[in-house]
Amino acid sequence: MTLRYLVTYEGRPDAVINIHELATRLLTWQRMNKNGEEEGNKEQEPKEKKKEETTKLNWKEWIIDPSEEFYYTWLQIMILPICYNWVIIIFRTCFYTIEETFLATWLTLDYISDLFYVLDTVIGFRTGFLEQGILVRDLSLLKKRYMRSSRFKWDIASLLPTDLLYLKLGIHTPLVRVNRFLRTGRMNEALDRMETRSSYPNTFRVAKLMLYIFVLIHWNACVYFSLSNYIGFGADVWVYPNISDPDFAATRRQYFYCFWFSTLILTTVGDTPPPAREEEYLFLVADMLIAVLVFASVVGSMGDVISSLRDRDNVFFPNHELVKGYLRSRRISKELQKRVNDWYQHLHINKKITRENEILQHLPITLQTAIAVSVHLPTLSKVTIFQNCENSLLEQLVLKLTPQVYSPGEYVCKKGDVGHEMYIIKEGKLAVVADDGVTQFAVLGEGNFFGEISILNIKGNKSGNRRTANIRSIGYSDLFSLSKEDLTETLLEYPAAKRLLEEKGRQILTKMGMLEETEEGEEEVEKTEDKVKRLEANLETLQTKLARLIAELESSARKMMQRVEQLELQTEGWEGIVAEGAQGEIEEQGKVKEREIGDGKGEGEGDKEDEDELVVEGERGEGDGGEESLREKETKVGGNEKSEKETEDTGDELTKTKRQDQKRD
């Protein structure tokens, strides 16, 4: 209705078009707003879900992995409260003026350190452990493991509320917090983790030793000051001077003087005043013994650091001293000795490593492969013949690369030499020179390679796997070499890659004009060496199969013999029974025949006189009795026949088992 009213009111057809446009724009705007609201709601829902999930994970399923970064960071944080207690408690106990002046600060720091101790105990309940290589996340198991460990006992002992003794001894007795020292094992764990993660472990060991020495001198200085207070300040030359003197009254001067005096005693460097009392003598004797231990630990630690540095150098670089001794003993010319010394000097100055395989040999093969791939794979992938090859093949070849360093003017290969390896230039420049060694045909730089054709053994190669050029190093050059044996050993497992590499090598030789035309059949014929290797491999597999068959045959023969022995034991008493049954059967058959003959005669004389009837009836009675006896005998014979059948069945079973064993054999 509004549209029609507006049209009649305006009186123009243009007004209708404008109203339609406005209506369509309003509808599209409303739809866009609805879609935007729906999308916003959809985006908010997963965010809310994520928040809920994070809260659930943080409060209910929060488990700490000891190998994660959070655990390592927490150990570093725990060093601060532990060191605070080791340094400040004895300091406040001996230098009482500092204890009285900054009491509020000390109490605040004390209870902050206690809070860290409590949090560390809570983290102990939440720290997982590995069982069969899998992180255990069951809270009940984690709590049981932590509560049964010795660490839990030390942690609880370090958290005992010994501060309640302030009520009896007074607030200025910080020595009641001495149980906080029992958390020292946590600091040792943190320092060990830091040493393993540090890139400079030797420097870290020296710093850790200096920290221990500092804490020892600090404690000795505090004890010296308290002993001077017990004897009396300024009582003699050995104790701390009288604090009434303005020069020695300041607290800072007191601590620095005591620290300096204890350093002189423990290091036995400077002259100290002679003691005058028994207490002073005992203190000096104890310090001298501690000084001997400190000196021995320092010397031993520094010796370990130096020896580890030497071992590292011997692993990274060849032993120069042995080579120099050999050159002197063999009276090698000074010019050649200079070349050797320059080569060693270049390795040490530029930190170039030529013994990578020896350094990484203790790592598992997966990590060795990962390191070699990250270091050498970009260089190997630049080689033309290895492009478009399988990644697994390149990973195998990367482990075979050996770094080599060439001095200026040194020949890498000469024309006519048999090629046993190919080279990839990592750094430096090499020149392709003529036989005179002066004329340069080309210069090879970083990423170039040469010698790849000589290690493929391509048929029809006119050079016969020999070097076709002289290559000399212009300056110091770093190369990677890949030997022919390593390549052929790796390609045995990748026949498709082998055919691809040979095809690429043929293409390169045809471009160079170094490939002879051969018959099609000759290219497909395998080399005798490959055939021999394949036959040897097949022979080994056949030998293993034959050994397995022989072992199975022996085991089956043993089983068959055991079965035969058991059956013989079971049938030992059957022979006598079978023989007796056969004899009884023969006798019974004879008696039956005799009786049949007797019955025939009786029937023939049946036509005689009636007088003989009684006799015949008697004979018949005897015949009836005979029939009954015959039945009893027949039952006996049937029993014997059954026994014979049983023996025959057992014999059949024996023959069947023997036949089955023979078939198996």
Side-chain angles (χ1 to χ4, degrees):
M1 295 294 291
T2 54
L3 290 173
R4 291 177 183 175
Y5 175 75
L6 288 169
V7 170
T8 55
Y9 179 77
E10 293 291 335
R12 296 196 306 264
D14 298 336
V16 179
I17 296 170
N18 293 330
I19 289 167
H20 278 296
E21 290 179 357
L22 290 172
T24 52
R25 288 177 183 176
L26 287 171
L27 290 172
T28 53
W29 179 70
Q30 288 178 355
R31 289 174 183 174
M32 289 174 66
N33 287 333
K34 288 181 180 179
N35 293 329
E37 291 176 357
E38 291 177 357
E39 290 178 356
N41 294 327
K42 289 180 181 178
E43 290 178 356
Q44 288 177 358
E45 288 177 358
K47 288 181 180 178
E48 292 176 355
K49 290 181 180 178
K50 286 181 181 179
K51 288 181 180 179
E52 292 177 358
E53 290 176 357
T54 53
T55 53
K56 289 180 181 178
L57 291 173
N58 287 332
W59 295 104
K60 294 183 179 180
E61 299 179 357
W62 184 53
I63 302 299
I64 301 171
D65 189 355
S67 61
E68 289 181 351
E69 194 67 25
F70 174 80
Y71 189 78
Y72 177 68
T73 306
W74 177 253
L75 289 177
Q76 290 178 325
I77 293 172
M78 282 302 299
I79 293 174
L80 298 176
I82 296 171
C83 288
Y84 165 79
N85 288 319
W86 271 99
V87 174
I88 299 300
I89 289 175
I90 188 68
F91 182 66
R92 290 163 55 192
T93 303
C94 298
F95 293 88
Y96 51 89
T97 55
I98 294 177
E99 164 67 18
E100 294 175 354
T101 305
F102 303 100
L103 179 62
T105 304
W106 299 133
L107 292 175
T108 303
L109 294 175
D110 287 345
Y111 295 118
I112 289 173
S113 66
D114 291 346
L115 178 62
F116 278 104
Y117 277 31
V118 172
L119 293 175
D120 186 58
T121 306
V122 173
I123 288 174
F125 282 105
R126 295 277 182 170
T127 303
F129 64 93
L130 294 178
E131 186 175 15
Q132 295 182 358
I134 300 172
L135 182 68
V136 177
R137 294 183 174 274
D138 191 355
L139 289 175
S140 60
L141 295 176
L142 298 182
K143 290 178 182 178
K144 288 180 182 179
R145 178 183 172 84
Y146 178 60
M147 294 178 70
R148 291 176 182 176
S149 63
S150 60
R151 178 191 155 192
F152 175 74
K153 299 175 183 177
W154 293 109
D155 292 348
I156 295 299
S158 65
L159 283 174
L160 293 176
T162 55
D163 295 354
L164 297 175
L165 295 174
Y166 284 148
L167 301 175
K168 184 177 181 180
L169 301 176
I171 196 66
H172 296 293
T173 54
L175 199 61
V176 297
R177 294 175 53 84
V178 72
N179 63 325
R180 303 309 191 265
F181 297 160
L182 299 176
R183 192 73 69 133
T184 309
R186 210 62 174 144
M187 185 178 70
N188 294 330
E189 183 183 358
L191 294 176
D192 291 339
R193 290 279 187 109
M194 293 172 68
E195 182 177 348
T196 55
R197 286 201 177 193
S198 175
S199 301
Y200 304 97
N202 294 318
T203 306
F204 184 82
R205 292 191 194 105
V206 174
K208 183 172 68 174
L209 179 63
M210 296 302 295
L211 175 64
Y212 292 157
I213 293 173
F214 167 77
V215 173
L216 181 62
I217 295 173
H218 170 77
W219 271 67
N220 194 58
C222 295
V223 173
Y224 169 74
F225 186 79
S226 62
L227 182 62
S228 299
N229 185 20
Y230 172 77
I231 297 171
F233 294 116
D236 53 28
V237 182
W238 188 84
V239 298
Y240 186 79
N242 196 347
I243 58 175
S244 60
D245 188 353
D247 294 335
F248 298 97
T251 306
R252 186 183 300 173
R253 181 66 178 272
Q254 293 173 6
Y255 178 74
F256 286 155
Y257 181 88
C258 295
F259 195 88
W260 168 78
F261 192 81
S262 63
T263 304
L264 291 180
I265 296 173
L266 293 176
T267 57
T268 64
V269 174
D271 294 331
T272 58
R277 297 173 179 265
E278 291 82 359
E279 297 86 352
E280 297 172 359
Y281 279 108
L282 292 175
F283 182 81
L284 277 178
V285 169
D287 275 4
M288 290 296 179
L289 294 175
I290 294 171
V292 171
L293 296 176
V294 170
F295 182 76
S297 63
V298 170
V299 172
S301 299
M302 295 305 296
D304 293 338
V305 170
I306 294 170
S307 62
S308 63
L309 289 173
R310 287 181 177 176
D311 293 339
R312 187 194 66 180
D313 291 339
N314 291 332
V315 171
F316 275 76
F317 310 106
N319 195 342
H320 192 192
E321 299 296 331
L322 292 176
V323 177
K324 286 196 294 186
Y326 175 79
L327 295 177
R328 286 194 299 268
S329 63
R330 295 298 181 182
R331 296 180 181 179
I332 304 300
S333 62
K334 292 183 178 180
E335 183 180 356
L336 186 55
Q337 289 184 15
K338 185 178 181 303
R339 289 177 58 188
V340 173
N341 294 331
D342 292 341
W343 184 78
Y344 272 103
Q345 187 177 3
H346 171 73
L347 293 182
H348 280 275
I349 291 173
N350 296 282
K351 305 298 181 183
K352 293 183 178 179
I353 303 170
T354 59
R355 306 170 70 176
E356 293 181 354
N357 295 330
E358 295 180 10
I359 297 169
L360 303 176
Q361 64 182 352
H362 299 292
L363 294 176
I365 190 66
T366 54
L367 292 178
Q368 290 184 22
T369 305
I371 293 171
V373 166
S374 63
V375 175
H376 305 315
L377 187 60
T379 305
L380 186 63
S381 60
K382 293 179 182 178
V383 181
T384 306
I385 60 173
F386 294 130
Q387 291 176 355
N388 300 324
C389 288
E390 300 179 14
N391 290 329
S392 57
L393 173 62
L394 296 179
E395 290 176 359
Q396 292 291 329
L397 292 176
V398 158
L399 295 173
K400 310 293 185 181
L401 295 177
T402 55
Q404 295 183 4
V405 180
Y406 289 89
S407 302
E410 187 176 358
Y411 280 92
V412 179
C413 61
K414 291 186 177 181
K415 187 176 180 180
D417 295 341
V418 178
H420 296 287
E421 61 274 317
M422 66 169 294
Y423 297 95
I424 304 169
I425 303 173
K426 181 184 178 183
E427 185 180 355
K429 291 184 178 182
L430 291 88
V432 181
V433 298
D435 295 336
D436 57 1
V438 178
T439 307
Q440 293 184 3
F441 299 111
V443 177
L444 304 176
E446 181 180 354
N448 295 122
F449 56 91
F450 56 93
E452 70 278 7
I453 303 299
S454 60
I455 64 174
L456 290 176
N457 289 331
I458 299 172
K459 284 195 171 184
N461 188 359
K462 294 180 180 180
S463 59
N465 294 331
R466 292 182 179 272
R467 304 296 187 188
T468 58
N470 300 316
I471 298 178
R472 189 181 63 182
S473 177
I474 298 174
Y476 286 101
S477 302
D478 295 344
L479 308 178
F480 288 119
S481 65
L482 179 64
S483 65
K484 182 178 180 180
E485 291 78 10
D486 293 335
L487 181 62
T488 53
E489 181 182 356
T490 306
L491 290 178
L492 288 175
E493 301 175 0
Y494 300 93
K498 182 179 179 181
R499 290 192 295 270
L500 180 62
L501 293 177
E502 289 178 352
E503 184 62 28
K504 288 184 178 180
R506 289 191 191 93
Q507 292 176 3
I508 294 171
L509 288 173
T510 53
K511 289 180 181 179
M512 296 171 60
M514 299 293 293
L515 184 65
E516 294 179 354
E517 295 182 357
T518 57
E519 296 180 359
E520 294 180 357
E522 293 180 357
E523 295 180 357
E524 298 178 356
V525 177
E526 295 180 350
K527 293 182 181 179
T528 56
E529 294 179 355
D530 296 337
K531 288 184 179 180
V532 169
K533 290 180 180 178
R534 189 176 298 173
L535 290 172
E536 288 177 352
N538 293 331
L539 181 61
E540 290 178 355
T541 54
L542 290 173
Q543 286 176 353
T544 53
K545 289 180 180 179
L546 180 62
R548 290 177 183 174
L549 291 173
I550 291 170
E552 291 177 357
L553 178 62
E554 290 177 353
S555 64
S556 62
R558 289 174 185 172
K559 290 179 181 178
M560 187 177 68
M561 292 297 294
Q562 290 176 358
R563 289 178 183 176
V564 171
E565 289 175 358
Q566 289 177 359
L567 292 172
E568 287 177 354
L569 292 172
Q570 290 177 0
T571 58
E572 281 180 354
W574 291 6
E575 294 178 355
I577 295 170
V578 172
E580 290 176 359
Q583 291 177 358
E585 185 179 359
I586 293 167
E587 291 177 357
E588 293 294 335
Q589 288 177 357
K591 290 179 180 180
V592 169
K593 289 180 180 179
E594 290 177 357
R595 286 176 182 174
E596 287 177 352
I597 294 167
D599 291 336
K601 289 179 179 181
E603 290 176 355
E605 293 176 353
D607 296 333
K608 291 182 179 180
E609 296 178 352
D610 295 333
E611 294 177 357
D612 296 330
E613 289 181 356
L614 295 170
V615 177
V616 173
E617 289 177 358
E619 289 176 357
R620 288 178 181 176
E622 291 176 357
D624 295 333
E627 289 176 358
E628 291 177 359
S629 63
L630 284 172
R631 289 175 183 174
E632 291 176 359
K633 290 179 179 180
E634 284 175 0
T635 54
K636 291 180 180 179
V637 172
N640 292 328
E641 288 177 356
K642 289 180 181 179
S643 63
E644 288 178 357
K645 288 180 180 179
E646 289 178 357
T647 54
E648 288 176 359
D649 293 334
T650 55
D652 292 336
E653 289 179 358
L654 285 171
T655 55
K656 287 180 181 179
T657 55
K658 288 181 179 179
R659 289 175 182 175
Q660 289 177 358
D661 292 333
Q662 288 176 358
K663 288 180 180 180
R664 289 177 184 173
D665 295 335

